[in-house]
Amino acid sequence: MQGVPAVEVTSACGYIGAMSNASPEPATIPLLPILIAPHPVLKARARRVITSDNDAIRDLIPRMFAAMYNAPGIGLAAPQVGLSLRMAVVDIAENEKRNPIVLVNPEIIASSQELSVREEGCLSLPNMFAEVTRPARVKVRFEDESGVKRELEADGLLATCLQHEIDHLDGVLFVDHISALKRNMIMRKLAKEQRLKP
Ligand code: ZN
């Protein structure tokens, strides 16, 4: 996929209803706010994207990339912006080169026996990190932004990122993969930081 707008997204047909009443000048759509844990949408299993979602998805994709790049992050799932839909955007931008991937209805169809441990963070748990053990390689089946069915085999950071984003679609956060003790510590620290936020 090419030509994804970086940060500033302009569109005449805003995803937010209020934007449609804007002046004839193309409006700069505000960045999508990212939900912070704990939040019920982040814990819910998202529903599959169906054909009638197409218009909403088309508007949503550039806005999700904009929010992700702005954060900055390497992946963002729709539930993180309050939409309980099975879709996510990913760009691990290796060597500073952008490689945006849109995942609609993604599923892991194979994973390696071999595991890898990697430090993970999440835009919904800002400034919190923990080492998470996951399969080192995965094969993911998904639809792209045009509805074309695709498969992607990944290892390294991309494999971790894909599993992390697909977890979001099932209401699972990276802290659900670590001990209750560590998870509670992180959630308390996060709550405290959020309370202290100006
Ligand atoms: Zn996340």
Side-chain angles (χ1 to χ4, degrees):
M1 188 177 77
Q2 288 179 338
V4 173
V7 174
E8 296 288 298
V9 181
T10 55
S11 163
C13 49
Y15 185 71
I16 295 171
M19 299 300 296
S20 56
N21 298 324
S23 64
E25 291 282 308
T28 300
I29 299 177
L31 283 168
L32 286 169
I34 296 173
L35 299 182
I36 305 298
H39 190 288
V41 176
L42 294 173
K43 294 306 290 175
R45 187 177 155 82
R47 73 155 172 86
R48 283 182 69 80
V49 172
I50 53 173
T51 316
S52 58
D53 295 319
N54 281 357
D55 286 350
I57 290 288
R58 203 170 305 122
D59 285 342
L60 185 62
I61 290 169
R63 301 196 66 201
M64 282 184 62
F65 275 113
M68 182 189 81
Y69 288 130
N70 179 69
I74 59 169
L76 185 67
Q80 292 180 276
V81 291
L83 286 152
S84 205
L85 283 177
R86 301 190 79 77
M87 75 153 288
V89 297
V90 162
D91 189 347
I92 62 164
E94 269 180 314
N95 309 320
E96 318 251 310
K97 265 179 75 180
R98 280 198 174 164
N99 179 26
I101 302 170
V102 177
L103 304 156
V104 176
N105 296 327
E107 47 183 328
I108 294 168
I109 53 169
S111 26
S112 64
Q113 296 277 321
E114 190 197 328
L115 302 174
S116 78
V117 182
R118 197 174 276 276
E119 184 166 79
E120 295 187 28
C122 179
L123 296 179
S124 294
L125 291 93
N127 306 322
M128 303 297 141
F129 301 92
E131 287 194 336
V132 178
T133 305
R134 299 182 185 270
R137 292 180 303 283
V138 288
K139 192 174 189 180
V140 174
R141 183 178 290 158
F142 62 101
E143 293 152 39
D144 68 12
E145 65 278 24
S146 311
V148 177
K149 285 197 166 58
R150 295 189 183 275
E151 282 183 10
L152 175 63
E153 278 189 63
D155 60 7
L157 178 60
L158 183 58
T160 296
C161 187
L162 291 170
Q163 292 174 80
H164 177 121
E165 298 312 323
I166 293 171
D167 266 358
H168 272 301
L169 311 181
D170 293 320
V172 174
L173 302 173
F174 78 88
V175 288
D176 295 320
H177 290 280
I178 62 178
S179 72
L181 186 75
K182 282 189 197 161
R183 177 168 58 249
N184 292 338
M185 244 164 62
I186 286 182
M187 295 312 287
R188 273 199 303 271
K189 200 170 148 200
L190 178 63
K192 191 177 169 192
E193 279 195 13
Q194 292 301 306
R195 274 200 307 275
L196 297 175
K197 242 172 77 172

PDB file of all heavy atoms in Angstrom, residues 80 121-123 164-165 168, ligand 1:
ATOM      1  N   GLN A  80      -8.497   0.359  19.971  1.00  0.00           N
ATOM      2  CA  GLN A  80      -7.735   1.391  20.680  1.00  0.00           C
ATOM      3  C   GLN A  80      -8.237   2.803  20.369  1.00  0.00           C
ATOM      4  O   GLN A  80      -7.919   3.744  21.088  1.00  0.00           O
ATOM      5  CB  GLN A  80      -6.244   1.304  20.330  1.00  0.00           C
ATOM      6  CG  GLN A  80      -5.576   0.051  20.878  1.00  0.00           C
ATOM      7  CD  GLN A  80      -4.109   0.024  20.513  1.00  0.00           C
ATOM      8  OE1 GLN A  80      -3.731  -0.405  19.428  1.00  0.00           O
ATOM      9  NE2 GLN A  80      -3.275   0.515  21.412  1.00  0.00           N
ATOM     10  N   GLY A 121       5.525  -2.522  24.427  1.00  0.00           N
ATOM     11  CA  GLY A 121       4.814  -1.386  24.967  1.00  0.00           C
ATOM     12  C   GLY A 121       3.520  -1.266  24.191  1.00  0.00           C
ATOM     13  O   GLY A 121       3.277  -2.051  23.266  1.00  0.00           O
ATOM     14  N   CYS A 122       2.673  -0.317  24.534  1.00  0.00           N
ATOM     15  CA  CYS A 122       1.374  -0.208  23.874  1.00  0.00           C
ATOM     16  C   CYS A 122       0.885   1.231  23.999  1.00  0.00           C
ATOM     17  O   CYS A 122       1.026   1.832  25.070  1.00  0.00           O
ATOM     18  CB  CYS A 122       0.391  -1.160  24.549  1.00  0.00           C
ATOM     19  SG  CYS A 122      -1.261  -1.113  23.839  1.00  0.00           S
ATOM     20  N   LEU A 123       0.327   1.750  22.920  1.00  0.00           N
ATOM     21  CA  LEU A 123      -0.153   3.132  22.958  1.00  0.00           C
ATOM     22  C   LEU A 123      -1.290   3.296  23.958  1.00  0.00           C
ATOM     23  O   LEU A 123      -1.563   4.410  24.402  1.00  0.00           O
ATOM     24  CB  LEU A 123      -0.601   3.583  21.552  1.00  0.00           C
ATOM     25  CG  LEU A 123       0.511   3.623  20.498  1.00  0.00           C
ATOM     26  CD1 LEU A 123      -0.042   4.058  19.154  1.00  0.00           C
ATOM     27  CD2 LEU A 123       1.652   4.535  20.925  1.00  0.00           C
ATOM     28  N   HIS A 164       0.612  -8.869  18.815  1.00  0.00           N
ATOM     29  CA  HIS A 164       0.146  -7.850  19.762  1.00  0.00           C
ATOM     30  C   HIS A 164      -1.140  -7.184  19.244  1.00  0.00           C
ATOM     31  O   HIS A 164      -2.108  -7.013  19.991  1.00  0.00           O
ATOM     32  CB  HIS A 164       1.274  -6.826  19.954  1.00  0.00           C
ATOM     33  CG  HIS A 164       0.959  -5.662  20.832  1.00  0.00           C
ATOM     34  ND1 HIS A 164       1.669  -5.375  21.976  1.00  0.00           N
ATOM     35  CD2 HIS A 164       0.012  -4.684  20.736  1.00  0.00           C
ATOM     36  CE1 HIS A 164       1.164  -4.289  22.549  1.00  0.00           C
ATOM     37  NE2 HIS A 164       0.154  -3.853  21.808  1.00  0.00           N
ATOM     38  N   GLU A 165      -1.151  -6.834  17.953  1.00  0.00           N
ATOM     39  CA  GLU A 165      -2.331  -6.145  17.392  1.00  0.00           C
ATOM     40  C   GLU A 165      -3.526  -7.089  17.296  1.00  0.00           C
ATOM     41  O   GLU A 165      -4.657  -6.680  17.579  1.00  0.00           O
ATOM     42  CB  GLU A 165      -2.011  -5.533  16.019  1.00  0.00           C
ATOM     43  CG  GLU A 165      -0.923  -4.467  16.020  1.00  0.00           C
ATOM     44  CD  GLU A 165      -1.086  -3.409  17.108  1.00  0.00           C
ATOM     45  OE1 GLU A 165      -2.231  -3.014  17.410  1.00  0.00           O
ATOM     46  OE2 GLU A 165      -0.066  -2.991  17.675  1.00  0.00           O
ATOM     47  N   HIS A 168      -5.304  -7.426  20.481  1.00  0.00           N
ATOM     48  CA  HIS A 168      -6.214  -6.312  20.792  1.00  0.00           C
ATOM     49  C   HIS A 168      -7.632  -6.612  20.303  1.00  0.00           C
ATOM     50  O   HIS A 168      -8.604  -6.174  20.908  1.00  0.00           O
ATOM     51  CB  HIS A 168      -5.744  -5.023  20.102  1.00  0.00           C
ATOM     52  CG  HIS A 168      -4.766  -4.211  20.903  1.00  0.00           C
ATOM     53  ND1 HIS A 168      -5.065  -3.724  22.153  1.00  0.00           N
ATOM     54  CD2 HIS A 168      -3.501  -3.795  20.624  1.00  0.00           C
ATOM     55  CE1 HIS A 168      -4.016  -3.026  22.607  1.00  0.00           C
ATOM     56  NE2 HIS A 168      -3.056  -3.062  21.705  1.00  0.00           N
TER      57      HIS A 168
HETATM   58 ZN    ZN B   1      -1.186  -2.258  21.919  1.00  0.00          ZN
END
